[in-house]
Amino acid sequence: MQGTRSIRLLSLARRFVHIRTAAQSARTVTGSGAERPKGAESTTGAEQTTHFGFQTVRESEKEQKVHEVFEQVANSYDMMNDAMSLGIHRVWKDVFVERLGPQHGMRLLDMAGGTGDIAFRYLRYLANQPNPQQRPSHVTVSDINQHMLDVGEERAKRLGLTTDRLPNSSVAWQCADAEKLPFQDDSFSAYTIAFGIRNCTHVDKVLTEAYRVLQPGGRFMCLEFSHLTNETMQWLYDQYSFQVIPPMGQLLAGQWQAYQYLVESIRRFPKQEQFKRMIEQAGFDQVSYENLTFGVVSIHSGFKL
């Protein structure tokens, strides 16, 4: 038995090295892995360009490319989150919802909510709070990718987190673009977006739309990968991100390039202070952020006052 396990581990290690070497060679030939400096967005002819990971692409291309990435990873998304973060993403999301502090009567828009991780925590949090006045609460889970929403809806049914099985809570699933929301002004008392805003082409438009659909007094909260405050730890984290996560994506989900994009998109996202200023520029007040796990992720918060 021990000999069989050793042979399997050796075979897996050889496959890992072969896949990684082949993919790195392909990226060297195509140049897709070449890092471009932040702020490299420019114009090609009349059309603006933006970043897709470390690539520069036309703005009209990015949405489709991001859509394709999440089409590819939807069914393995939760499994890969567990593998890549060693399960810590669950703790980050728990802390995120605790910081939100859901209350009965709240109307939440969970943008880029895909497979439902934040919405399900929100609903369970409410279920554990007394509600003597029977105040109804609501969450709209929204994502630009219908396939991700389909996965989330199926999970909700399996977990019993559907409107017909929840006391005083309702759930809606809405395919929508975070830059052009189909909701009326002042529709929600809270807006959350977890690990999604960095995939949007125009982050400023996403923030402006979030401000528009929030009611006065409403709260914006964003959970996103960020930048470590210690240079040595950042270097170690970079090694893990670029040398381990894409091969892991290939081995576990059959997707190298999708996870290569995901780690590149993290590095292209603004640092904490810069993103804080962007939130303020969108009109939010009392803007703050909290680093988790030394800054691997950050929780950003602001209020529409």
Side-chain angles (χ1 to χ4, degrees):
M1 178 67 71
Q2 187 66 34
T4 302
R5 288 179 179 174
S6 298
I7 292 171
R8 287 177 178 172
L9 287 172
L10 180 59
S11 175
L12 183 61
R14 286 174 174 169
R15 184 181 171 202
F16 179 94
V17 171
H18 174 74
I19 291 170
R20 180 181 160 197
T21 302
Q24 287 178 332
S25 298
R27 292 202 308 278
T28 300
V29 172
T30 61
S32 64
E35 181 171 357
R36 299 178 185 269
K38 292 181 183 180
E41 291 79 8
S42 59
T43 58
T44 302
E47 186 174 359
Q48 292 282 338
T49 60
T50 188
H51 61 84
F52 176 75
F54 290 161
Q55 300 178 51
T56 297
V57 299
R58 293 190 299 274
E59 287 187 349
S60 59
E61 290 182 281
K62 180 170 180 176
E63 181 177 319
Q64 181 59 34
K65 284 179 172 290
V66 170
H67 188 275
E68 290 171 358
V69 164
F70 286 94
E71 283 281 326
Q72 293 164 4
V73 305
N75 290 323
S76 59
Y77 187 73
D78 296 313
M79 174 192 70
M80 281 299 300
N81 280 344
D82 280 330
M84 290 187 299
S85 71
L86 306 178
I88 299 174
H89 77 102
R90 297 175 182 270
V91 177
W92 296 333
K93 291 168 182 173
D94 287 342
V95 173
F96 183 59
V97 173
E98 287 175 6
R99 296 294 185 270
L100 174 65
Q103 298 178 355
H104 293 290
M106 180 177 281
R107 287 184 54 82
L108 171 67
L109 172 60
D110 181 34
M111 198 62 218
T115 55
D117 268 3
I118 301 303
F120 299 158
R121 283 169 169 79
Y122 164 82
L123 292 167
R124 286 169 173 151
Y125 190 102
L126 288 174
N128 289 322
Q129 303 299 313
N131 188 16
Q133 297 179 345
Q134 301 295 297
R135 299 180 67 193
S137 303
H138 174 79
V139 57
T140 294
V141 186
S142 187
D143 200 292
I144 198 170
N145 190 300
Q146 183 62 50
H147 192 40
M148 293 286 284
L149 290 171
D150 291 342
V151 172
E153 284 198 78
E154 284 301 314
R155 287 186 65 202
K157 292 174 184 176
R158 291 199 305 271
L159 296 170
L161 296 173
T162 53
T163 300
D164 60 326
R165 299 176 66 180
L166 288 166
N168 303 306
S169 292
S170 59
V171 187
W173 301 81
Q174 173 76 53
C175 189
D177 183 346
E179 297 182 15
K180 297 173 289 187
L181 294 175
F183 310 112
Q184 294 182 355
D185 297 358
D186 307 334
S187 297
F188 299 93
S189 50
Y191 176 115
T192 54
I193 182 166
F195 304 121
I197 200 167
R198 75 180 188 279
N199 298 309
C200 299
T201 304
H202 304 100
V203 174
D204 57 338
K205 291 183 179 179
V206 175
L207 295 171
T208 299
E209 279 291 271
Y211 188 87
R212 180 184 65 80
V213 301
L214 278 171
Q215 300 165 355
R219 189 177 188 185
F220 166 85
M221 290 192 67
C222 174
L223 175 66
E224 188 53 88
F225 287 108
S226 197
H227 302 268
L228 278 72
T229 54
N230 181 282
E231 291 185 3
T232 301
M233 294 184 68
Q234 180 68 57
W235 182 85
L236 291 171
Y237 179 47
D238 285 344
Q239 302 311 303
Y240 172 76
S241 297
F242 288 97
Q243 303 300 325
V244 176
I245 290 179
M248 187 187 298
Q250 181 67 40
L251 287 172
L252 298 181
Q255 298 291 339
W256 180 298
Q257 291 300 328
Y259 288 95
Q260 180 72 28
Y261 159 72
L262 290 176
V263 296
E264 290 177 0
S265 69
I266 292 169
R267 296 306 174 273
R268 293 302 305 262
F269 193 69
K271 290 186 177 181
Q272 290 90 321
E273 282 293 331
Q274 182 183 352
F275 188 47
K276 177 177 180 285
R277 289 192 295 271
M278 294 175 69
I279 297 171
E280 290 171 336
Q281 289 166 1
F284 290 99
D285 290 299
Q286 299 182 16
V287 179
S288 62
Y289 64 85
E290 175 186 0
N291 289 331
L292 303 180
T293 317
F294 309 104
V296 173
V297 302
S298 295
I299 297 174
H300 290 262
S301 171
F303 292 86
K304 179 178 178 178
L305 299 178

